[in-house]
């Protein structure tokens, strides 16, 4: 049995290592106690040699030795006789504490759900080890937002200076019975149930603790869906304040209060292939077919010379196919037709230039898109795959396959856990980034009749919008993968689309201008708020889903307005203050 | 199914025949190759179409096909391009190259190189709280209405009546009571921001009007303002700006001739700018009567002790009137005719206030006009004794005598010959003297 546990532990540690950094920081807290407990299992099975090898190899590999040298020596010298000796006061205090008490780990709800999902697919014996080793406390915030010193976690649940038989009543109720190293499958309860039990009791214990009482919510048995409470990775404070200032001064836009639209038109930039605009509305970036990116910084004084507020980023050797600006305006990603993805310092006027170059394939990368919270970005390429990258790593994190043709667009969902792609095979697909294997495919959204070219998620994550070459825009329920409406209006391929900050409006641009669509009704039809995790598609959900009040083929009520333009448009973006910006180029003059 | 494709392939092979490619393909080979060729062509074209999507207008160009071929690791040695499509043959006629122009090196060195246009970013409001301003940057209202109509046709239910009982509601709302639908044509006339800023600056320049000591500054500021660069960006709003500025002038002052002089100065400054002048054409119906009135009117506002006849104003207005008629007289002959009727009447009315203005206008029109309109009238005026100087003007600096004014006009335009001029002058002097006596 212990060898099974060892194998499962190795598998689990690999899974943690390969998980995204959002989850990894919290998951890695589990490895050290599980490592110790696995070692103790080996010793209790009298596999001393294997235990020592495991202790040395895995401990060194993962740098688990946060223990003092004396403690390490005591663990290494541990024998079966010491472990099974009775009474307890004859045992080593250190070993006794590791056997009898749980290791406290603080964990956010999304990560805990992910852990549950993973453990449910693992061996029962390992789940038992997790149950008996770790006590998880749920928090609203993720631990990445707390300083390690503030947490005070990562220690055994109870400190016992002296151990005697009487004191056993004070230990955790779930551990009152004599501990049995061999797990009993009959007594196995699901991880969620066990955790619920533990957490409820811990909540009672810590009622008088000051701050985290409200955060102690009993875990749900089934997957619950919620919007992300806070960004998992915080932006710099100055950027946050700037965003808040814009948001506070924003007018509420809706179907009854349409937004103001500002059009940016780039002149004399030659053949253009891509464009993007910052959420602050102060940066406009145009990528050309020759590989040059022109950036306009509108923060410069208006009476400044025309060349003072413009600079170019040179590096690509072929057509710039896509541009994506991070939410804090600091980093620009660009992709080209030869498969290169480049990262630039764009927002700062002091230091501009390329900071990284990634090359995943030798074919055109049609799309590059930042994660809503930074750090990760996803690319969609001609070879039919989408790739998830960490900007701190040279190698890609994950590949998402399934499309039968080019991946024209790929984004990371608002929750940060889902990658949504639009493909030339007239489908859009959703992938779970947390699974990290080939089984991560969630839904295929397929009623398009032409190549899907763009996909966007609403800020609250409820609905997805996909657009195709025919100009059709389709709105999807993110939770169920159900088509909610087809928006018919554009007569040419949709170039870009974006949701307003509140998610009540959708803006689409094409050659024939800007169109605004009302999303209020559709958001209410989407059954659940933004998801942190997705179950597999369940047909019964469709039966219980609320009926749509209109045919999904055509929903004229949703069309609000159209604004034809003299020049074709390439990009649209709602700023943080909900002003809509449409970006285009003047095509009347050629080089 | 592939038979016609193989036939096409055979024909293609014949067209590109050379020593390396057989002129005629075997049917079996063509049949096999046809499928393969079709697959490859479809493959390349689908990729080219994706490249075309990257362009703003979605048009498939030769460059897109070339990009697709490059992606497929097929070098484009020779082929059409979006930039150059001229080729010539060299050698034995089997080698092609781009037909570049042969340029003389001396001409090239001495030529003024074409300066590349500076990339720039233009920013304008496509909509203000949902309504599209009727500015030059946006599409016209007519196109907007057409687009709105297109939408109505596109999104309405299938059983929708093509000619519904639509009623025009308030604020441009179209209501279809039968289907309970309401459409609002989102349009509003909003002046562009650049024009708004320009108007503010004009108004700022007109602020010191009330202070008499600063009037010279105003008169100097307006031409300077209108002579600035980039005024073409406000050209669409010129009539409105002029109207607003004139309203400001009239609002600030009403007691002397200076408002009219300031207005003249403004109009002259606008007129002098070639970017601002064309928009005035649409307002000629308003501008021209005002100018004619200023020239030939008997009473030109309150009297200025320094300029009792308002000569400066009349001179300025006459200058502008002449320029307007020169510019648009050929295009609007009736306009010129009607303006001259007033001038002629003023001349025939005798030496009153308007007479002097009319003289100035005629003088501004040059020799032909003086010969045609003024000279024939002079003997008649002299004979009938109409050329009596207005007692009010005697001793005036502006119009000392009719004689001197007429002589100025005649000399300026070099009317007739010296003898005629001398004769007329002599007769004028006699008439004046007799009248004075």
């Amino acid at each position: 049995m212990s060898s099974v546990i060892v194998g499962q532990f190795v598998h689990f540690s690999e899974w943690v290592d390969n998980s995204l950094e959002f989850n990894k920081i919290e998951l890695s807290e589990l490895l050290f106690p599980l490592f110790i407990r696995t070692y103790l299992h080996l010793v209790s099975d009298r596999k001393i040699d294997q235990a020592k090898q495991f202790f040395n190899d895995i401990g060194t590999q993962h740098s688990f030795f946060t223990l003092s040298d004396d403690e390490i020596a005591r663990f290494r010298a541990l024998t079966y006789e010491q472990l099974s000796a009775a009474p307890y006061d004859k045992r080593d205090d250190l070993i006794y504490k590791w056997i009898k008490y749980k290791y406290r780990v603080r964990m956010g709800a999304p990560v805990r759900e992910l852990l549950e999902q993973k453990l449910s697919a693992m061996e029962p014996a390992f789940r038992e080890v997790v149950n008996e080793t770790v006590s998880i406390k749920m928090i609203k915030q993720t631990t990445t937002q707390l300083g390690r010193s503030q947490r005070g976690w990562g220690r055994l649940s109870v400190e016992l200076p002296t151990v005697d038989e009487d004191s056993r009543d004070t230990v955790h109720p779930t551990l009152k019975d004599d501990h049995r190293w061999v797990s009993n499958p009959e007594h196995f309860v699901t991880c969620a149930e066990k955790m619920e039990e533990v957490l409820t009791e811990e909540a009672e214990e810590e009622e008088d603790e000051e701050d985290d009482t409200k955060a102690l919510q009993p875990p749900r048995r089934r997957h619950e869906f919620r919007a992300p409470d806070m960004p998992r990775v915080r932006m710099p404070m100055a950027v946050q304040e700037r965003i808040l200032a814009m948001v506070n001064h924003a007018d509420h836009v809706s179907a009854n209060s349409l937004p103001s639209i500002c059009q940016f038109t780039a002149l004399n930039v030659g053949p253009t292939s891509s464009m993007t605009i910052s959420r602050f509305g102060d940066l406009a970036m145009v990528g050309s077919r020759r590989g040059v990116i022109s950036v306009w910084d509108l923060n410069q004084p208006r009476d400044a010379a025309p060349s003072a507020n413009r600079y170019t980023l040179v590096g690509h050797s072929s057509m710039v196919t896509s541009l994506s600006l991070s939410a804090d305006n600091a980093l620009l990603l660009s992709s080209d037709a030869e498969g290169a993805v480049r990262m630039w310092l764009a927002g700062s006027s002091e230091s501009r230039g390329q900071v990284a170059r990634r090359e995943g394939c030798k074919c055109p990368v049609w799309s590059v898109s930042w994660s809503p919270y930074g750090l990760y970005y996803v690319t969609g390429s001609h070879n039919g795959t989408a790739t998830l990258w960490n900007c701190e790593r040279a190698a890609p994190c994950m590949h998402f396959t399934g499309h039968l043709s080019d991946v024209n667009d790929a984004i990371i969902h608002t929750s940060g856990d889902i990658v949504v792609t639009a493909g030339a095979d007239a489908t859009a697909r959703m992938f779970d980034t947390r699974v990290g294997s080939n089984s991560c495919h969630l839904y295929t959204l397929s009623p398009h009749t032409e190549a899907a070219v763009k996909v966007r998620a609403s800020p609250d994550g409820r609905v997805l919008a996909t657009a195709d070459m025919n100009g059709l825009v389709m709105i999807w329920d993110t939770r169920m993968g159900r088509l909610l409406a087809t928006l018919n209006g554009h007569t040419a391929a949709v170039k870009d689309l974006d949701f307003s900050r509140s998610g009540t409006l959708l803006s689409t641009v094409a050659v024939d201008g800007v169109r605004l669509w009302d999303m209020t009704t559709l958001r209410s039809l989407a059954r659940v708020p933004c998801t942190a995790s997705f179950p597999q598609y369940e047909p019964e959900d469709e039966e219980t889903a609320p009926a749509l009040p209109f045919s999904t083929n055509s929903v004229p009520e949703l069309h609000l307005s159209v604004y034809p333009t003299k020049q074709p448009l390439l990009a649209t973006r709602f700023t943080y203050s909900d002003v809509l910006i449409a970006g285009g180029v003047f095509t009347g003059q050629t080089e | 199914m592939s038979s016609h494709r193989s036939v096409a392939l055979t024909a293609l092979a014949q067209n590109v025949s050379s020593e390396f490619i057989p002129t005629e393909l075997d049917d079996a080979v063509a049949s096999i190759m046809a499928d393969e060729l079709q697959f490859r062509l479809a493959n390349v074209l689908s990729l080219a179409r994706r490249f075309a999507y990257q362009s703003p207008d979605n048009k498939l160009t030769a460059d897109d096909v070339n990009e697709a071929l490059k992606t497929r690791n097929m070098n484009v040695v020779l082929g059409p391009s979006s930039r150059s499509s001229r080729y010539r043959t060299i050698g034995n006629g089997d080698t092609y190259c781009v037909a570049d122009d042969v340029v003389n090196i001396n001409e090239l060195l001495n030529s003024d190189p074409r300066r590349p246009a500076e990339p720039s970013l233009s920013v304008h409001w496509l909509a203000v709280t949902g309504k599209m301003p009727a500015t030059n940057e946006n599409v016209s209202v007519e196109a907007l209405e057409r687009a709105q109509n297109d939408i109505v046709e596109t999104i309405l239910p299938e059983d929708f009546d093509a000619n519904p009982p639509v009623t025009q509601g308030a604020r441009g709302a179209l209501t279809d009571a039968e289907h309970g639908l309401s459409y609002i044509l989102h349009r509003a006339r909003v002046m562009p921001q650049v024009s708004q800023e320009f108007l503010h600056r004009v108004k700022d320049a007109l602020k010191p009007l009330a202070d008499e000591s600063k009037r010279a500054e105003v008169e100097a500021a307006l031409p300077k303002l209108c002579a600035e660069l980039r005024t073409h960006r406000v050209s669409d709003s010129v009539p409105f700006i002029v109207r607003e500025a004139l309203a400001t002038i009239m609002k600030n002052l009403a007691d002397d001739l200076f408002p009219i002089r300031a207005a003249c100065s403004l109009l002259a400054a606008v007129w002098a700018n070639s970017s601002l002048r064309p928009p005035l054409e649409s307002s000629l119906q308003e501008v021209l009567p005002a100018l004619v009135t200023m020239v030939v009117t008997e009473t030109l506002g309150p009297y200025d002790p320094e300029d009792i006849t308002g000569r400066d104003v009349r001179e300025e207005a006459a200058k502008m009137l002449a320029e307007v008629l020169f510019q648009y007289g050929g295009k609007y002959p009736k306009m010129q005719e009607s303006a001259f009727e007033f001038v002629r009447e003023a001349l025939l009315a005798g030496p009153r206030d308007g007479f002097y203005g009319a003289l100035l206008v005629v003088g501004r029109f040059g020799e032909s006009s003086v010969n045609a309109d003024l000279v024939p009238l002079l003997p008649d005026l002299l004979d009938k004794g109409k050329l009596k100087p207005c007692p009010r003007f005697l001793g005036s600096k502006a119009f000392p005598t009719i004689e001197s004014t007429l002589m100025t006009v005649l000399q300026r335009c070099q009317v007739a010959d010296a003898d005629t001029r001398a004769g007329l002058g002599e007769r004028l002097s006699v008439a004046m003297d007799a009248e004075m006596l």
Side-chain angles (χ1 to χ4, degrees):
Chain A
M1 183 58 71
S2 57
S3 55
V4 173
I5 294 173
V6 170
Q8 289 286 289
F9 173 79
V10 172
H11 172 69
F12 183 76
S13 62
E14 285 175 359
W15 176 73
V16 171
D17 281 344
N18 293 326
S19 61
L20 303 186
E21 270 74 2
F22 292 145
N23 311 320
K24 189 174 177 179
I25 295 174
E26 295 171 49
L27 289 174
S28 57
E29 297 280 334
L30 298 169
L31 292 181
F32 174 61
L34 290 177
F35 162 72
I36 296 291
R37 187 56 70 102
T38 307
Y39 172 70
L40 296 179
H41 267 281
L42 285 172
V43 174
S44 68
D45 276 1
R46 301 186 181 185
K47 296 178 179 174
I48 303 300
D49 293 340
Q50 192 180 346
K52 291 189 185 307
Q53 188 179 357
F54 172 81
F55 194 82
N56 291 331
D57 293 348
I58 304 296
T60 310
Q61 183 182 343
H62 290 276
S63 302
F64 286 150
F65 293 146
T66 56
L67 305 169
S68 65
D69 293 342
D70 176 54
E71 289 171 334
I72 292 172
R74 287 158 71 184
F75 270 114
R76 280 184 172 150
L78 183 66
T79 60
Y80 172 76
E81 289 72 22
Q82 285 179 307
L83 200 60
S84 58
Y88 287 103
D89 56 354
K90 299 293 184 186
R91 295 178 180 173
D92 190 321
D93 289 348
L94 174 68
I95 308 301
Y96 176 77
K97 280 196 289 185
W98 275 102
I99 292 172
K100 300 306 292 182
Y101 305 118
K102 291 193 172 186
Y103 195 87
R104 279 184 172 181
V105 172
R106 220 173 180 194
M107 197 171 278
V111 183
R112 199 192 66 82
E113 278 185 15
L114 178 64
L115 177 65
E116 268 187 51
Q117 257 184 356
K118 181 63 185 174
L119 290 178
S120 63
M122 297 185 74
E123 291 291 333
F126 189 72
R127 290 194 296 240
E128 182 77 8
V129 170
V130 174
N131 278 338
E132 67 197 16
T133 307
V134 181
S135 163
I136 296 175
K137 180 175 184 180
M138 280 185 60
I139 55 171
K140 274 189 178 176
Q141 286 180 309
T142 58
T143 48
T144 54
Q145 293 165 2
L146 299 173
R148 206 173 177 80
S149 59
Q150 292 176 324
R151 284 187 282 154
W153 293 80
R155 55 181 170 80
L156 291 175
S157 56
V158 179
E159 298 289 346
L160 289 178
T162 57
V163 179
D164 55 23
E165 288 295 325
D166 298 335
S167 65
R168 293 185 63 207
D169 293 337
T170 63
V171 302
H172 201 281
T174 56
L175 298 177
K176 278 182 179 176
D177 297 334
D178 284 342
H179 182 72
R180 299 180 188 279
W181 282 109
V182 180
S183 61
N184 186 354
E186 294 177 3
H187 295 153
F188 176 78
V189 289
T190 64
C191 180
E193 288 169 345
K194 192 88 170 188
M195 285 180 179
E196 180 177 6
E197 184 184 350
V198 170
L199 287 172
T200 308
E201 289 163 358
E202 282 209 354
E204 291 170 0
E205 287 176 9
E206 301 179 5
E207 273 179 358
D208 53 347
E209 286 187 15
E210 64 296 349
D211 55 349
D212 294 323
T213 309
K214 291 181 181 177
L216 283 169
Q217 300 294 331
R220 288 99 172 174
R221 305 255 178 139
R222 295 182 61 80
H223 295 292
E224 291 292 335
F225 301 94
R226 60 193 155 271
D229 295 329
M230 299 178 66
R232 293 189 181 185
V233 176
R234 282 189 170 181
M235 292 183 191
M237 189 57 72
V239 179
Q240 283 190 54
E241 289 174 355
R242 192 178 169 198
I243 293 173
L244 280 176
M246 291 185 74
V247 169
N248 291 337
H249 287 88
D251 293 329
H252 177 68
V253 297
S254 65
N256 299 322
S257 173
L258 295 180
S260 296
I261 306 174
C262 188
Q263 184 179 337
F264 291 177
T265 308
L267 310 171
N268 306 320
V269 288
T272 310
S273 56
S274 56
M275 187 172 189
T276 190
I277 298 158
S278 75
R279 286 264 177 221
F280 294 98
D282 58 351
L283 289 179
M285 301 171 173
V286 176
S288 76
R289 287 194 164 227
R290 295 169 300 173
V292 178
I293 302 169
S294 301
V295 183
W296 279 273
D297 184 356
L298 303 183
N299 289 317
Q300 300 293 329
R302 294 194 63 176
D303 53 352
S307 58
N309 61 358
R310 186 182 73 88
Y311 58 95
T312 54
L313 303 173
V314 182
H316 285 290
S317 55
S318 61
M319 175 195 293
V320 179
T321 53
S322 179
L323 296 166
S324 178
L325 194 59
S326 62
D328 58 354
N329 265 12
L331 292 170
L332 172 73
L333 285 170
S334 60
S335 61
D336 69 14
E338 291 184 353
V341 175
R342 291 171 189 262
M343 187 184 298
W344 314 81
L345 279 173
S348 168
S349 58
E350 290 81 17
S351 55
R352 293 163 181 155
Q354 179 181 317
V355 292
R357 179 175 184 271
R358 303 279 183 267
E359 196 157 327
C361 62
K362 292 291 183 185
C363 58
V365 175
W366 297 126
S367 157
V368 60
S369 176
W370 275 105
S371 159
Y373 312 126
L375 189 62
Y376 291 96
Y377 60 91
V378 63
T379 58
S381 62
H382 172 61
N383 62 5
T385 64
T387 307
L388 184 72
W389 301 78
N390 182 331
C391 64
E392 294 175 353
R393 294 182 186 175
C397 298
M398 295 176 193
H399 294 283
F400 306 104
T401 58
H403 280 286
L404 305 176
S405 186
D406 299 24
V407 176
N408 287 330
D409 195 12
I411 60 161
I412 299 177
H413 187 258
T414 320
S415 67
D417 296 331
I418 307 296
V419 166
V420 191
T421 57
D425 56 354
T427 64
R429 291 169 191 260
M430 297 168 64
F431 302 91
D432 191 344
T433 61
R434 302 166 307 162
V435 179
S437 67
N438 289 333
S439 61
C440 61
H441 180 256
L442 291 170
Y443 298 138
T444 300
L445 317 175
S446 59
H448 282 290
T449 55
E450 259 287 355
V453 285
K454 287 288 172 189
V455 60
R456 291 288 180 274
S458 65
D460 59 5
R462 289 189 183 196
V463 294
L464 291 172
T466 57
D468 67 16
M469 281 279 195
N470 278 344
L472 286 183
V473 179
M474 294 186 177
I475 309 296
W476 305 85
D477 180 348
T478 312
R479 158 73 174 79
M480 296 174 57
R482 180 176 61 151
L483 177 64
L484 293 178
T486 301
L487 309 180
N488 186 2
H490 284 292
T491 55
V494 174
K495 289 291 185 181
D496 199 5
L497 60 166
D498 195 25
F499 285 91
S500 67
R501 191 170 45 84
S502 58
T504 52
L505 292 181
L506 174 68
S507 159
T508 56
V509 297
V511 174
D512 54 352
V514 184
R515 285 174 194 266
L516 288 175
W517 310 86
D518 183 13
M519 291 291 109
T520 313
T521 313
L522 298 182
R523 283 176 68 243
S524 62
L525 288 172
R527 280 184 64 197
V528 290
C530 170
T531 66
S533 62
F534 291 81
Q536 290 300 312
Y537 182 69
E538 296 172 358
E540 58 269 25
D541 279 346
E542 191 170 288
E543 294 172 4
T544 57
L548 299 178
F550 38 65
S551 162
T552 57
N553 294 329
S554 176
V555 192
E557 298 87 355
L558 302 181
H559 189 272
L560 293 175
S561 189
V562 61
Y563 303 95
T565 54
K566 285 186 173 178
Q567 302 299 334
L569 298 175
L570 281 172
T572 179
R573 186 62 56 96
F574 275 97
T575 65
Y576 288 116
S577 55
D578 261 349
V579 173
L580 179 61
I581 296 179
V585 292
F586 178 65
T587 56
Q589 184 178 351
T590 56
E591 283 187 336
Chain B
M1 191 179 87
S2 65
S3 60
H4 59 278
R5 290 203 301 265
S6 60
V7 171
L9 185 62
T10 308
L12 188 65
Q14 288 173 350
N15 285 335
V16 295
S17 64
S18 71
E19 58 181 312
F20 301 110
I21 302 177
T23 305
E24 291 185 359
L25 284 178
D26 186 71
D27 287 345
V29 174
S31 177
I32 294 170
M33 285 183 64
D35 289 338
E36 179 70 14
L37 187 66
Q38 187 194 24
F39 170 74
R40 290 187 184 278
L41 277 175
N43 205 342
V44 169
L45 284 177
S46 67
L47 186 54
R49 192 183 168 211
R50 181 61 184 80
F51 275 108
Y53 173 73
Q54 294 292 138
S55 65
D57 49 7
N58 293 338
K59 287 179 182 171
L60 183 67
T61 62
D63 285 342
D64 297 322
V65 179
N66 290 348
E67 288 277 359
L69 289 171
K70 274 166 57 181
T71 305
R72 293 272 180 262
N73 294 323
M74 289 182 267
N75 287 329
V76 186
V77 179
L78 177 67
S81 166
S82 299
R83 295 181 185 175
S84 174
S85 58
R86 294 174 300 162
Y87 300 95
R88 63 190 176 91
T89 57
I90 55 176
N92 297 325
D94 54 355
T95 306
Y96 292 81
C97 68
V98 176
D100 289 326
D101 293 334
V102 178
V103 181
N104 188 339
I105 186 66
N106 289 326
E107 289 178 8
L108 188 65
L109 290 174
N110 295 328
S111 65
D112 187 14
R114 183 186 168 195
R115 187 184 172 191
E118 178 82 12
S120 60
L121 189 75
S122 156
V123 179
H124 74 273
W125 286 108
L126 181 61
V128 178
T129 58
K131 294 184 179 180
M132 179 182 280
T135 59
N136 190 37
E137 293 91 346
N138 292 329
V139 296
S140 64
V141 175
E142 293 74 23
L144 190 59
E145 286 174 351
R146 277 201 302 275
Q148 292 279 0
N149 292 334
D150 289 345
I151 294 164
V152 171
E153 289 171 9
T154 304
I155 65 173
L156 282 182
E158 291 178 358
D159 57 347
F160 187 72
D161 186 0
N163 297 307
V166 176
T167 56
Q168 185 82 27
R171 300 175 63 189
L174 298 175
T175 307
D176 173 18
E178 184 182 348
H179 292 84
L181 297 173
S182 176
Y183 308 101
I184 296 176
L185 298 181
H186 296 290
R187 55 181 166 149
R189 293 197 176 275
V190 179
M191 201 159 65
Q193 191 175 359
V194 179
S195 301
Q196 290 184 37
E197 289 174 357
F198 188 77
L199 176 59
H200 283 307
R201 291 171 62 196
V202 169
K203 285 185 174 178
D204 286 345
L206 291 171
K207 270 183 184 173
L209 267 180
D211 188 351
E212 289 189 11
S213 62
K214 293 185 178 177
R215 289 178 174 180
E217 292 179 19
V218 175
E219 281 192 292
L222 292 175
K224 192 178 173 186
L225 202 60
C226 295
E228 284 184 357
L229 295 175
R230 300 184 187 176
T231 45
H232 63 279
R233 297 170 68 185
V234 303
S235 58
D236 279 1
S237 311
V238 162
F240 182 77
I241 292 174
V242 170
R243 209 172 294 134
E244 283 287 303
L246 291 179
T248 309
I249 291 171
M250 295 307 165
K251 185 181 172 186
N252 285 349
L253 290 172
D255 295 337
D256 54 19
L257 273 179
F258 186 75
I260 303 178
R261 283 170 56 184
C264 274
S265 177
L266 175 68
L267 279 174
V270 170
W271 188 263
N273 189 325
S274 58
S275 298
L276 302 181
R277 190 190 311 150
L280 279 184
E281 185 179 351
S282 61
S283 304
L284 283 181
Q285 295 297 328
E286 301 172 36
V287 171
L288 206 66
L291 290 175
V292 172
T293 305
M294 275 197 279
V295 170
V296 301
T297 185
E298 292 300 315
T299 306
L300 192 62
Y303 293 121
D304 184 351
E306 295 292 322
D307 184 8
I308 191 170
T309 58
R311 174 172 175 143
D312 288 351
V313 174
R314 290 180 197 271
E315 180 84 42
E316 198 70 35
K319 181 183 171 187
M320 274 207 65
L321 180 63
E323 288 190 7
V324 169
L325 293 181
F326 269 129
Q327 184 80 24
Y328 297 107
K331 193 173 180 182
Y332 307 107
K334 285 186 179 177
M335 180 182 73
Q336 190 166 4
E337 200 175 306
S338 61
F340 256 93
E341 274 182 24
F342 287 99
V343 174
R344 213 170 282 124
E345 278 182 21
L347 285 174
L348 289 173
R352 291 190 296 186
D353 298 42
F355 181 77
Y356 296 96
L359 282 180
L360 293 172
V361 169
V362 174
R364 283 283 171 189
F365 267 88
E367 185 180 353
S368 60
S369 179
V370 172
N371 283 331
D373 297 317
L374 181 61
V375 173
L377 291 177
L378 283 177
D380 190 37
L381 289 171
L382 289 170
D383 291 342
K384 293 180 180 177
K386 282 188 177 179
L387 281 182
K388 296 175 183 174
C390 181
R392 214 159 34 83
F393 300 153
L394 291 175
S396 165
K397 290 180 183 175
F399 294 113
T401 61
I402 293 178
E403 177 199 4
S404 64
T405 307
L406 267 175
M407 288 309 292
T408 306
V409 170
L410 295 175
Q411 283 174 6
R412 185 188 294 169
C413 304
Q414 297 180 346
V415 170
D417 52 81
D419 294 340
T420 309
R421 206 162 59 232
L424 286 172
E426 191 178 345
R427 292 178 64 185
L428 278 170
S429 299
V430 172
M432 293 300 120
D433 292 342
E435 188 62 30
M436 291 295 292
L437 290 172

